[in-house]
Amino acid sequence: MGHLYSAVIADCLHRYKQMRGFTSKFSTGTDEHGLKIQQAADAAGKDPLNFCTEVSEKFKSLFQSSQISYTDYIRTTGEQHRRAVEHFWTVLYDKDFIYKGEYEGWYSTPDESFLTESQVADSKDKNGKHIKVSLESGHQVEWMKEENYMFRLSEFRPALLQWLRENPRAVRPTKFYNIALQWLQEDLPDLSVSRQRDRLKWGIPVPGDPGQTIYVWLDALVNYLTVAGYPDGHCQWWPAARHVVGKDILKFHAIYWPAFLMAAGVPLPQAIYVHSHWTVSGQKMSKSLGNVVDPLERSQQYTVDGLRYFLLRQGVLDTDCDYYDDKVIKLLNSELADSLGGLLNRCTAPSINHEQVYPSFCGLCFPKENVRGSPEGRAAPEDYRLVESVSRLSAEFERHFENLQIYKALETVSHCVRQTNGFFQRHAPWKLDRNNPQERRWLDTILHVAMECLRVYGTLLQPVVPMTADVLLSRLSVEPSRRGWEDLNFLNRYQGENCPFEGRTLGSDTGILFSRLDRTEKAECKPKKSKKVK
């Protein structure tokens, strides 16, 4: 679920940028080297590459089924990536930022992370044996002493501090920026960037020294450059690079990676976007606790767009978010099925919209606020507030997206949808006499205003729920070429301008926009501990 959450955030930002007219490259994939992968493959009795291929294909399948529209899917076992890593290593070595030395200290295999004494604590394993664990992850650590290559990380502390202080939006949200700054208040020890080959065979050999394997995180981080075309063709893309990562790998991205790039003479990424974790009843998802949420299963249960909407609507980047099925059902029923879906159904129902068209707007029925007093004027004060809200919606949506507050952007949309439903309910078009010319003009105007609202909502929701937005816009007969940011002009006829959609025949009715979800046994507020309960 955490890996999917990272991908959904990145996908949403990618689609948003495309909708704004940018050319965007979006990469994701799998980091496949390291000791824990080697051990997992051995435990499964499989060749490491075959093992990685099986796991990578599962993630790829999850992403494809979740409408993750990546342009590049990278595996760090690929030949192009190996060449990029070897070149990057050679640049660091030739500049004397890598030297051979001896490392002695704590190492966490699950985290593939070197730790100082202050980063570990005493604990006991399940058998009561005294062990040391990482304070950050809780994983067991082991003492390691071996000759390997070291990176002169200690030299980059002043430059890293300067970079962060001069670029307060380099790491976002602010909470994680402050954490990165706090780390730099202490001295940075040099970093071991290789392992002895006899201990770690599954990885890229150090160029010129086949007895050593490149540290998995140095290898993995270079994947961003590989996708951009490093070492020869990356300049077109790299200055605009932005990373989306979970908070558990913040140090690798906000400390180690910028230092590596500085040493190699490569510009730093524009920004590092960091998100928190999803928990279940306040507890971290864990196989041992039996509370792991399967995203593939949930996307089948709640639909792909439903799960995407929930993650983006409820996810707050700087705070851990709690997952339970009942919350998903309540949110999706309320905002997608009842509010948005209900509004579309009302506007396009043959009982009200007999001709199945995008009807005309009558300025006499809905005059500009400063010329009210028309004998045919039917608009109420609340209706003008609706027009005001939807007119500024795209600007508010943009502001929240640029601040990485997607949940706030969706809240503004949801608020406007509720306002539009109130507008429809207030004027009850089903009660109007279609045979009375004056009432018919008001009926058409009500439908026109509501459909214009829906068109704006559908356009803005494309990065979040792409399939649902497509169904909505297609039903309104809005062709793909008119679904961009520049098409968000709202209620042109109210402004005295032409509306390109007025009079169009509606698209085919494909059924309910989003079906209501039934609460099942699985949709408990708190997960059952017993594995027998489904």
Side-chain angles (χ1 to χ4, degrees):
M1 183 66 85
H3 201 40
L4 176 63
Y5 184 46
S6 297
V8 167
I9 293 171
D11 178 70
C12 184
L13 296 173
H14 169 63
R15 290 175 184 268
Y16 167 74
K17 286 295 184 182
Q18 287 182 316
M19 188 170 71
R20 296 299 308 270
F22 290 88
T23 301
S24 177
K25 181 188 272 286
F26 166 30
S27 74
T28 186
T30 44
D31 302 329
E32 301 181 11
H33 289 135
L35 186 58
K36 68 177 180 181
I37 303 295
Q38 178 179 300
Q39 292 174 345
D42 289 343
K46 296 179 179 179
D47 169 75
L49 182 57
N50 291 337
F51 175 79
C52 288
T53 298
E54 289 178 12
V55 174
S56 185
E57 285 301 314
K58 288 179 181 177
F59 279 115
K60 198 171 186 178
S61 176
L62 172 64
F63 289 163
Q64 289 172 344
S65 67
S66 301
Q67 295 290 301
I68 304 300
S69 58
Y70 55 79
T71 57
D72 297 81
Y73 186 90
I74 182 169
R75 297 180 56 189
T76 57
T77 47
E79 182 62 23
Q80 181 186 356
H81 178 68
R82 182 186 63 79
R83 290 196 299 269
V85 172
E86 289 175 344
H87 187 277
F88 193 80
W89 173 280
T90 302
V91 170
L92 297 182
Y93 186 80
D94 288 348
K95 289 187 171 187
D96 197 34
F97 289 117
I98 290 179
Y99 64 95
K100 203 160 192 179
E102 187 174 85
Y103 175 79
E104 183 174 7
W106 297 105
Y107 188 76
S108 168
T109 298
D111 303 316
E112 298 286 12
S113 178
F114 298 96
L115 302 168
T116 63
E117 196 66 44
S118 64
Q119 294 173 306
V120 300
D122 293 317
S123 186
K124 292 183 179 180
D125 63 15
K126 60 183 179 182
N127 298 318
K129 181 183 175 183
H130 289 279
I131 59 171
K132 292 278 189 180
V133 297
S134 164
L135 282 172
E136 186 172 348
S137 68
H139 292 139
Q140 184 174 348
V141 299
E142 59 179 338
W143 187 260
M144 188 184 82
K145 182 179 180 180
E146 62 183 37
E147 185 182 53
N148 49 28
Y149 288 92
M150 307 292 291
F151 173 72
R152 300 185 192 278
L153 181 63
S154 56
E155 294 185 12
F156 289 90
R157 179 170 166 267
L160 289 168
L161 274 168
Q162 182 180 356
W163 166 60
L164 286 175
R165 286 171 176 162
E166 291 178 357
N167 298 276
R169 291 168 69 85
V171 179
R172 298 166 63 191
T174 304
K175 171 183 177 179
F176 299 113
Y177 169 83
N178 290 332
I179 290 173
L181 267 182
Q182 187 61 41
W183 283 330
L184 292 171
Q185 302 311 306
E186 301 176 5
D187 290 337
L188 293 176
D190 285 353
L191 179 68
S192 174
V193 287
S194 74
R195 301 294 308 273
Q196 290 181 356
R197 194 73 180 172
D198 57 358
R199 294 194 183 190
L200 175 60
K201 295 180 175 62
W202 184 237
I204 299 173
V206 168
D209 190 347
Q212 294 274 332
T213 301
I214 295 175
Y215 174 45
V216 61
W217 269 105
L218 175 55
D219 165 0
L221 287 164
V222 174
N223 93 85
Y224 303 120
L225 284 174
T226 303
V227 168
Y230 184 82
D232 302 315
H234 63 289
C235 294
Q236 176 190 356
W237 291 103
W238 188 250
R242 289 161 171 80
H243 303 325
V244 177
V245 302
K247 67 177 184 179
D248 53 321
I249 52 176
L250 173 60
K251 178 172 282 187
F252 302 104
H253 285 81
I255 305 294
Y256 299 165
W257 181 225
F260 292 155
L261 291 170
M262 288 176 181
V266 177
L268 273 55
Q270 285 283 318
I272 301 165
Y273 301 151
V274 189
H275 66 78
S276 296
H277 293 160
W278 282 92
T279 59
V280 175
S281 296
Q283 292 182 301
K284 188 176 180 180
M285 291 189 197
S286 164
K287 289 181 180 179
S288 60
L289 294 174
N291 66 350
V292 174
V293 177
D294 181 349
L296 195 56
E297 178 187 314
R298 292 308 195 275
S299 66
Q300 291 169 348
Q301 186 176 355
Y302 304 133
T303 77
V304 168
D305 273 1
L307 185 58
R308 285 174 63 104
Y309 186 82
F310 173 78
L311 293 175
L312 295 170
R313 177 74 171 85
Q314 293 289 305
V316 180
L317 296 192
D318 57 7
T319 306
D320 284 351
C321 305
D322 212 35
Y323 177 97
Y324 54 88
D325 292 299
D326 201 51
K327 185 196 289 187
V328 182
I329 292 172
K330 287 178 179 177
L331 176 73
L332 300 184
N333 281 346
S334 172
E335 297 191 0
L336 291 187
D338 296 345
S339 198
L340 186 66
L343 180 60
L344 178 66
N345 187 55
R346 286 171 143 187
C347 293
T348 59
S351 58
I352 294 179
N353 193 331
H354 287 189
E355 290 80 13
Q356 289 292 282
V357 295
Y358 207 107
S360 301
F361 177 89
C362 176
L364 294 174
C365 298
F366 205 130
K368 292 279 286 195
E369 195 168 8
N370 60 349
V371 294
R372 271 187 282 173
S374 164
E376 285 194 41
R378 307 283 289 268
E382 298 92 336
D383 304 337
Y384 289 96
R385 286 196 285 273
L386 167 66
V387 172
E388 225 174 81
S389 294
V390 182
S391 295
R392 64 171 182 259
L393 179 59
S394 61
E396 290 190 17
F397 192 90
E398 176 186 4
R399 177 166 55 86
H400 292 315
F401 252 72
E402 295 297 336
N403 287 329
L404 300 179
Q405 295 175 316
I406 299 174
Y407 70 99
K408 284 190 177 180
L410 295 180
E411 168 54 33
T412 60
V413 173
S414 181
H415 174 72
C416 286
V417 175
R418 291 193 296 270
Q419 277 186 292
T420 313
N421 273 304
F423 163 76
F424 206 89
Q425 188 70 28
R426 185 162 53 250
H427 295 297
W430 57 89
K431 294 181 179 179
L432 297 174
D433 182 2
R434 302 180 59 83
N435 297 316
N436 180 314
Q438 193 171 340
E439 293 212 341
R440 173 59 188 267
R441 284 193 292 272
W442 178 229
L443 167 62
D444 287 347
T445 300
I446 294 169
L447 293 177
H448 183 96
V449 172
M451 285 186 180
E452 276 289 276
C453 291
L454 277 167
R455 182 179 62 82
V456 170
Y457 307 151
T459 302
L460 291 174
L461 288 173
Q462 288 176 106
V464 179
V465 284
M467 291 185 290
T468 302
D470 177 60
V471 171
L472 188 157
L473 294 171
S474 296
R475 183 70 172 110
L476 296 180
S477 201
V478 179
E479 63 269 39
S481 62
R482 285 192 174 273
R483 299 179 182 183
W485 196 263
E486 67 279 4
D487 301 301
L488 282 169
N489 295 329
F490 170 64
L491 210 56
N492 279 0
R493 295 284 281 109
Y494 178 74
Q495 306 296 339
E497 300 171 6
N498 290 328
C499 173
F501 310 102
E502 192 173 76
R504 287 188 180 188
T505 301
L506 295 181
S508 58
D509 184 359
T510 55
I512 296 172
L513 181 68
F514 192 92
S515 298
R516 280 186 60 83
L517 301 165
D518 293 325
R519 192 175 184 278
T520 64
E521 275 190 63
K522 186 172 284 188
E524 297 290 340
C525 293
K526 294 183 179 179
K528 294 282 187 180
K529 291 183 179 179
S530 170
K531 293 183 180 180
K532 295 179 181 178
V533 176
K534 292 186 179 180

